[in-house]
Amino acid sequence: MDKGIVCITGSQSCALMRIARIGRSLSAVHFYNGAAVPFDYRIHTVGDLHAEALLDMLHVDRQHPLEILVPSAKFRRDSAMIRSRVLSIPLPDGAFLELKPGADPAKRISLPQSIRILIESPPLALLQGARTIQRLISCQGGNRLNGILRLMEFADECCGWYSRDPKNPRSGSISYDQPHKCTRLTTPETMRAFVEEISNVDGVRLARIAARHAIDEAGSPMEAYINHALALPPRFGGLSMRKPLANQQLRVDEATHAKLKHHSLRPDLQWPEQHTLAEYLGDENHAGRPARIEDKDRMQDYMTASFAAFPLMYDDVRNATSLGQTAEMIARELMRRGAKEELYNVRKLLRDEEFRIRQRILVGALLPPITHYEDA
């Protein structure tokens, strides 16, 4: 018997995507959608889903109805606990993911046998977020730059080595992938290709900007923030420095590699042509003696490999002033190692008050909330 299909959308879809990425209770696989929004018109109430555990996970009730995506207004099935959102445009393949049971037998939740439950893929979720932000800008006078930066933040997460809290993505705990086991569900290239195929949709230009500047393999929200603050174009509040690589393998010759204490080194930010890098030493992950020894050994390896290494902490990036000082410090070294005009360009921007306003918007949008630890 053919299964029915329902596609969950909005913040509930994003929450399920983050849960599925962790993979313990749910997982997600590609769903081929052709060019349409898949939807089964036989579904009228949340009871038709036979997915009580999933609904409980999303805290669905009358105040927080289940949000589902439908291909046209005639398929709306709004009720006390269902709210339909229409998306009628043709969609490239890769728009949806299908939920599957997770890998942990003790934590996986049961899914219905008669209904295929879909969520939006990261590229479609980015587009949907951009549509919402565009409408806020048009109807309520929202700040366009702040909206673009929020979209970049989401794109970075989807393309990085971390996932935000499904219940509280802004300030909740962060889940990090294990070394060499990235669980991300998309890449910047996939996001860019998807939104480039979409046209005549509110917010698509915002989505394209966010996808164009998504960071490939950022290791944390703080690393993504620093990367953007240094390298984004000035119109987005960045200092337009050379864009660093994020968490890419440090390349050295065999003789040098034999002298290193680490088999693999992946700096948070790296300018390989100038043999320069930066590492963010967060309070939580770098507190305590073992972590300090590890940081020390890594910095010594960078020196052995003839890389200029800048260890950064919260005080180095906590506001526009500290960002400017940090950028000048790194730019000075980049110029010493062959980059042209880097320091002069940074200083010129920092003297521009209009830029400083945009830079403060970037800090307000992207600087993660930080908890300090006594032994840090």
Side-chain angles (χ1 to χ4, degrees):
M1 184 177 72
D2 291 339
K3 288 187 175 184
I5 296 175
V6 63
C7 180
I8 299 175
T9 187
S11 60
Q12 295 169 342
S13 175
C14 289
L16 291 172
M17 180 170 60
R18 291 177 170 119
I19 293 168
R21 177 173 176 175
I22 296 170
R24 290 190 287 269
S25 58
L26 290 171
S27 63
V29 298
H30 173 264
F31 177 86
Y32 178 71
N33 58 278
V37 173
F39 176 75
D40 192 303
Y41 62 88
R42 294 172 294 179
I43 298 168
H44 298 278
T45 70
V46 292
D48 294 333
L49 291 176
H50 304 290
E52 289 76 12
L54 189 69
L55 298 176
D56 288 343
M57 180 179 286
L58 294 174
H59 304 290
V60 171
D61 56 26
R62 290 178 180 272
Q63 285 72 44
H64 305 93
L66 184 70
E67 296 188 16
I68 63 173
L69 203 60
V70 297
S72 68
K74 72 177 183 179
F75 290 113
R76 283 188 179 275
R77 291 294 183 268
D78 293 333
S79 66
M81 296 178 65
I82 290 182
R83 179 178 300 143
S84 302
R85 296 175 61 180
V86 176
L87 183 63
S88 58
I89 61 171
L91 293 171
D93 185 37
F96 300 98
L97 302 172
E98 182 176 357
L99 294 182
K100 297 289 185 179
D104 188 339
K107 294 186 177 181
R108 70 170 60 125
I109 67 170
S110 61
L111 294 171
Q113 298 297 313
S114 60
I115 302 290
R116 302 177 75 173
I117 298 181
L118 310 183
I119 58 175
E120 296 166 345
S121 69
L124 180 56
L126 178 71
L127 178 64
Q128 294 282 59
R131 293 176 76 202
T132 299
I133 287 173
Q134 183 61 61
R135 288 166 183 169
L136 287 174
I137 294 171
S138 300
C139 299
Q140 301 180 21
N143 185 282
R144 185 175 186 272
L145 176 55
N146 185 77
I148 290 172
L149 292 168
R150 296 292 190 196
L151 293 171
M152 289 184 191
E153 181 180 62
F154 177 73
D156 294 336
E157 175 191 355
C158 294
C159 299
W161 287 71
Y162 61 94
S163 182
R164 295 178 180 272
D165 190 324
K167 296 180 181 179
N168 187 6
R170 286 301 306 152
S171 57
S173 60
I174 305 293
S175 298
Y176 297 97
D177 292 338
Q178 297 298 316
H180 312 298
K181 294 183 179 179
C182 187
T183 63
R184 65 182 184 172
L185 297 170
T186 193
T187 65
E189 292 78 12
T190 299
M191 275 195 157
R192 287 193 285 267
F194 184 93
V195 295
E196 287 297 332
E197 286 195 48
I198 303 292
S199 59
N200 300 321
V201 177
D202 287 346
V204 68
R205 291 183 179 179
L206 302 183
R208 288 173 180 170
I209 291 171
R212 191 177 307 130
H213 293 284
I215 297 171
D216 192 19
E217 299 193 63
S220 70
M222 182 61 83
E223 291 177 27
Y225 158 68
I226 297 171
N227 196 318
H228 283 316
L230 297 180
L232 277 179
R235 65 183 180 277
F236 301 128
L239 285 159
S240 199
M241 292 174 59
R242 293 166 183 256
K243 187 171 181 62
L245 299 178
N247 291 293
Q248 296 300 302
Q249 178 65 42
L250 196 77
R251 299 191 179 278
V252 296
D253 58 53
E254 291 185 8
T256 300
H257 190 273
K259 301 175 185 177
L260 304 181
K261 298 178 181 180
H262 294 80
H263 176 72
S264 176
L265 289 167
R266 292 177 175 270
D268 297 341
L269 300 98
Q270 179 187 169
W271 294 266
E273 291 184 7
Q274 287 75 37
H275 271 61
T276 301
L277 58 88
E279 292 267 26
Y280 181 74
L281 309 181
D283 286 355
E284 180 179 9
N285 296 328
H286 296 263
R289 179 175 172 78
R292 288 197 293 270
I293 292 175
E294 167 62 18
D295 290 337
K296 179 265 297 181
D297 288 345
R298 196 167 59 255
M299 290 299 166
Q300 288 179 353
D301 276 351
Y302 292 147
M303 293 177 65
T304 301
S306 300
F307 272 72
F310 292 92
L312 305 178
M313 297 190 73
Y314 179 72
D315 287 346
D316 296 305
V317 295
R318 65 188 179 91
N319 55 32
T321 299
S322 59
L323 272 174
Q325 294 168 347
T326 296
E328 287 192 41
M329 176 178 66
I330 296 174
R332 187 178 296 109
E333 185 64 24
L334 292 176
M335 283 190 63
R336 195 175 75 83
R337 291 170 176 256
K340 297 185 182 299
E341 309 295 327
E342 201 83 344
L343 180 59
Y344 306 126
N345 293 337
V346 168
R347 286 177 170 171
K348 181 179 179 180
L349 281 172
L350 293 175
R351 292 192 297 267
D352 185 331
E353 185 53 38
E354 289 188 6
F355 167 77
R356 296 300 296 269
I357 292 172
R358 293 192 293 273
Q359 187 184 44
R360 287 191 287 271
I361 293 173
L362 180 146
V363 173
L366 299 184
L367 177 65
I370 297 296
T371 301
H372 289 287
Y373 295 80
E374 291 183 0
D375 58 347

